[in-house]
Amino acid sequence: MNLPISSAIPAYEPGRRIHFEDFEISWAGENPLNGEIYLGSYDGRCKSFDRPASSAPLSPSGEAVNGMAFSALPETAVAVSTRSDVTFLVPDGRGDWHRADYDGGAHGVIATSSGGFIAPLGRNGLLTMKPVRGAGQILGRFQIDVAGNTINFYKLARCSGDGTKDLIVAAARKDGFAIIEVNASEDRIELGLSHFLRNPGLDIVDICSLASPDWPRAVAWLGVDRSIHLSRDILQARPFKSLQIDGLRGKAYTVLHDRGHLFLLTSEAVYGFPDLASRFLSGEMRGDSLTVYSHYSKEYDDIYLHQNHLFLGKHGDIYRVPSESFPIGRDPESWQENSEPKSEFVEVPWERSSKQEWSNDLLITPAA
Amino acid sequence: MSSGDDPCPEHPARTRRRSLRYCFYIAHHGRGAADDSQWAVDLSEAEEFAIFDEADRHDFSDPNGNLYGLRRDEESNLLDLGTEGEQIAKFWDPGKNQPTHGFPLWPCSETGPENRKKQLAPKVALKKMLDARLLSRRQHDRLLKGKYG
């Protein structure tokens, strides 16, 4: 297979560069149904990394792809999000696709275990969709007010799911974070009992699952101030553990978990915390015993995971580095070990609300 | 802000390049509808006007003549302009000798009637900010994806 990976690896870059002349990469991720890497572009196209010659213009607006998700039910359906629209493609069983477009932007999109999709729309709530064959697709837009304030949904992660019910967690900026029960029926997604937790001083910008066999509902969430918050069981275990680590730089963007390790992208660096999640889940971690690896760069705009590799987005290219090796990447000179930064668990008080009643608009798109 | 009954009290200064007039529309200063974006409470009138002045100075415009602005700290980090973390502001086409006003733009558009649909910072204006080196490539690319810079 002739993969379009550049063989030229600049000395200052860790890892391999993925570059296309006619396709500036804005998003990268895995289709879990077949393991393939999919890429989105800054002009709204998508393609498989394994079939690089063909790309499809999926965003009606031609805006930058900021998320893709894949669903196995009834067959492989695809959702693509940009800041201006969300597009759903559902196979029609005859080799073609039903298409449903939502004419509003999202910060990304995820799949549920029931075969549906959910996209965070900011103050506009959550967009839901359950693909069905041969009929109009039902899109739902859900909003919820907590203490007179409409929740600002920014990032989503699937915490657990059994094929019918999912537990979704959401980073909601200054509204804190949310734990949302998601129920699927034949043709739609409904949102149920949800819990909202906030600290007035914290801007929560990302959230990820730490799921392990022992702790299936473990979660980490990230403050823009680089504070990392951990829970073994988001529904049960409180108080949560909040970690403040001295010496980290920049505005926090993203937190990722891969096989017990945590990774953090900020405006100034990529950080790797080996075994932080696994040690936290096993109860072996103290707040003052951390190992941190740092790669300082102000160029990376995004970070993704795929099959034991980190994908670092930069200037429309992707730099792929193995996530299991520390220091990360092929150029140890660019990574610095800071074996014992000053760190501590701090007490963060969380205001908690629970609500069940979402306001809901339905949009039924015609079969096409 | 000292508005009295004036829905858009005018700033005494004009922009340096085109001598444009500016006013502070109360709908974006705490007295608008629930879906009207709001300027950050820590942003002074002088700072809001300075963003407009810089947008005019660099001609961060779209094809319709609307202007777009941003605010940075001394280390070139983008600062929030709005209460929801918005980082780009839009200023309506000032027209001829009429004061215009601005408001923070949401990072994602919203479906709805065309006249109420939430708008985005256009690519052409973000590219001008990049070319003027007021946005880094990373900040530019993240804004195109509906993320904060």
Side-chain angles (χ1 to χ4, degrees), chain B residues 6 10 19 27 59 63-65 69 71 84 109 111 123 125 131:
Chain B
D6 186 346
E10 188 167 347
S19 196
D59 189 28
N64 297 320
R71 177 169 73 138
E84 303 294 340
S109 67
T111 189
K123 290 180 180 178
D131 291 342

Side-chain angles (χ1 to χ4, degrees), chain A residues 51-80:
Chain A
R51 295 185 294 279
S54 62
S55 64
L58 294 186
S59 164
S61 63
E63 291 284 348
V65 173
N66 62 21
M68 289 184 77
F70 304 86
S71 155
L73 298 175
E75 299 166 58
T76 301
V78 182
V80 179

